[in-house]
Amino acid sequence: MTEAAVKEPLPADRFLSAGRKTHLRLWNVTETAREVRYVRTADGWHLALSRYGDLGKVPGARRHPVLLVHGLGSNRLAFDLAPEVSLSAFLARLGFDVFALDLRGHGRSEKPRLFHPKDWGWNFHDYASKDLPAALDGVLAWTGAPGVHVVGHSMGGIALHTRVAKLDPRIRSGTTLGASIDYSGTKTVFHALIKWIWATYLMPAVPLGGFTRSMAPLALAFDNPIDRVNVFPSNVDRRLYRRLVGTAFHGISSPVLRSLSKAFRPGGLCDENGDGYCDAVPGETPVLALAGTKDVQCAPEAAARRCTEMRAFGRAFDHADDYGHFDLIMGKRAASETWPVLAEWLTAHDS
């Protein structure tokens, strides 16, 4: 075990409130994880890693485990919303030892508290330089593997890019879904919101989770710009999308938004010292970028930056439908169109 790994196991629901557990039951959430383990970050936060495997293939059939990292305000359920749209279970059936991380304040991980040292004060760099390294150390300690395949959706993909730019030797390969390290000069809904970034100084966090839970029963009741931020309507099952909206989002720490806002300005995201990640000398870690043609958060043009290979999904590329932001993971056709591309990439870089 590394210093990052928690020596004494914690109950899987240690940081889930009674209300949250009831809420998950009401939404009929059935997870396929076979166990939950915890790691502790350098600054003391307990992070949950849901582990998948033994779902049809012999555990250890692949050499390197897979770490799934969710996006902004989200949690592990984005990868395991239901058995029929569980990317986690799909990869486990292929023989990969799969772990899904809940970043601090999200999902099964430790939550912030008022009037406590562990409050809403963290920023994106805490995710990238503390949470992700702790998860990598934990996965390596538990599996004994020489490296880890990291798959990051949205902000999880941005965090992956920062580790690759820092030449993190623990990462065997990387895959981003709807993510870039530099969104400047491309079409994204966030460019219109940057001018309101000053408002984050008025509140410790943006209550995204409360808003989405209240709106979930009406999600995709009609075509609207709010839902299109997340999905392309015709490519998702409305019932499952409502479950996503109702269960897979949390509040967002305001400093996270301020630190991420630099990714939308010329030069792309910078580290805490002001050094641009795009200025880093490319390393040898291969990175695959998957992008949706109708993703208003991350256009294929942005996703193609700082990657080894890029694959776009949509009608323009002979797919059955267009893809939005979450469709890449849980769209109607993800299991037959996007997942096999990811699996082929992981397999090719596993030996």
Side-chain angles (χ1 to χ4, degrees):
M1 276 272 182
T2 65
E3 292 182 0
V6 175
K7 295 181 180 179
E8 296 298 329
L10 297 172
D13 60 354
R14 171 65 177 81
F15 301 110
L16 286 180
S17 67
R20 179 65 176 173
K21 286 185 281 188
T22 299
H23 183 76
L24 292 174
R25 287 195 296 270
L26 289 175
W27 277 102
N28 196 30
V29 172
T30 304
E31 299 187 60
T32 57
R34 61 186 178 94
E35 66 174 332
V36 179
R37 295 192 176 191
Y38 283 86
V39 293
R40 187 167 50 238
T41 66
D43 56 346
W45 286 78
H46 293 90
L47 309 180
L49 282 162
S50 297
R51 191 177 191 179
Y52 306 79
D54 197 21
L55 298 173
K57 288 285 185 179
V58 178
R62 306 290 182 172
R63 189 179 181 201
H64 301 88
V66 177
L67 176 63
L68 304 175
V69 188
H70 63 76
L72 180 67
S74 188
N75 62 34
R76 74 201 176 282
L77 294 178
F79 302 106
D80 192 35
L81 191 63
E84 62 267 36
V85 289
S86 176
L87 177 59
S88 307
F90 169 76
L91 294 176
R93 286 193 295 270
L94 294 179
F96 289 101
D97 199 352
V98 182
F99 295 81
L101 170 66
D102 278 319
L103 296 165
R104 64 182 67 193
H106 300 253
R108 293 184 178 277
S109 293
E110 190 172 3
K111 307 300 189 298
R113 285 164 279 178
L114 293 175
F115 311 111
H116 189 275
K118 293 179 181 178
D119 57 13
W120 287 98
W122 71 83
N123 60 30
F124 166 77
H125 303 294
D126 292 310
Y127 290 147
S129 65
K130 297 185 179 72
D131 292 12
L132 186 49
L136 288 168
D137 282 345
V139 170
L140 290 176
W142 293 327
T143 63
V148 181
H149 299 293
V150 180
V151 178
H153 176 242
S154 194
M155 187 190 70
I158 301 176
L160 164 62
H161 270 305
T162 69
R163 299 312 310 168
V164 171
K166 295 291 185 181
L167 306 181
D168 194 319
R170 294 166 290 192
I171 301 177
R172 174 69 179 183
S173 78
T175 304
T176 65
L177 300 101
S180 176
I181 202 76
D182 180 7
Y183 296 81
S184 62
T186 65
K187 292 183 178 181
T188 167
V189 66
F190 293 115
H191 277 109
L193 300 176
I194 293 296
K195 61 183 178 182
W196 298 100
I197 198 68
W198 60 266
T200 62
Y201 289 97
L202 304 179
M203 62 187 80
V206 176
L208 177 65
F211 173 76
T212 58
R213 285 192 292 274
S214 65
M215 296 299 294
L218 297 176
L220 282 183
F222 55 91
D223 190 10
N224 64 87
I226 295 179
D227 287 325
R228 278 185 176 261
V229 170
N230 290 326
V231 295
F232 189 68
S234 61
N235 200 9
V236 292
D237 182 296
R238 185 168 63 178
R239 174 184 60 88
L240 293 176
Y241 175 63
R242 287 178 175 176
R243 183 182 297 173
L244 176 79
V245 174
T247 63
F249 292 97
H250 301 270
I252 303 172
S253 176
S254 291
V256 168
L257 296 175
R258 292 196 290 271
S259 52
L260 279 176
S261 67
K262 297 177 181 178
F264 300 89
R265 294 167 179 157
L269 189 67
C270 299
D271 63 19
E272 292 181 285
N273 298 319
D275 297 324
Y277 288 108
C278 290
D279 298 329
V281 176
E284 296 182 356
T285 304
V287 177
L288 169 68
L290 305 184
T293 53
K294 296 296 184 180
D295 186 348
V296 301
Q297 294 193 41
C298 181
E301 177 188 355
R305 296 170 178 172
R306 299 290 294 189
C307 69
T308 309
E309 181 180 333
M310 197 276 283
R311 294 286 297 274
F313 295 85
R315 291 171 181 166
F317 297 91
D318 296 325
H319 296 111
D321 203 347
D322 285 310
Y323 278 77
H325 198 60
F326 278 91
D327 312 10
L328 295 166
I329 306 175
M330 46 78 68
K332 288 180 180 178
R333 300 164 180 84
S336 61
E337 293 182 340
T338 64
W339 294 2
V341 173
L342 171 58
E344 181 181 3
W345 170 268
L346 295 176
T347 301
H349 293 85
D350 192 58
S351 61

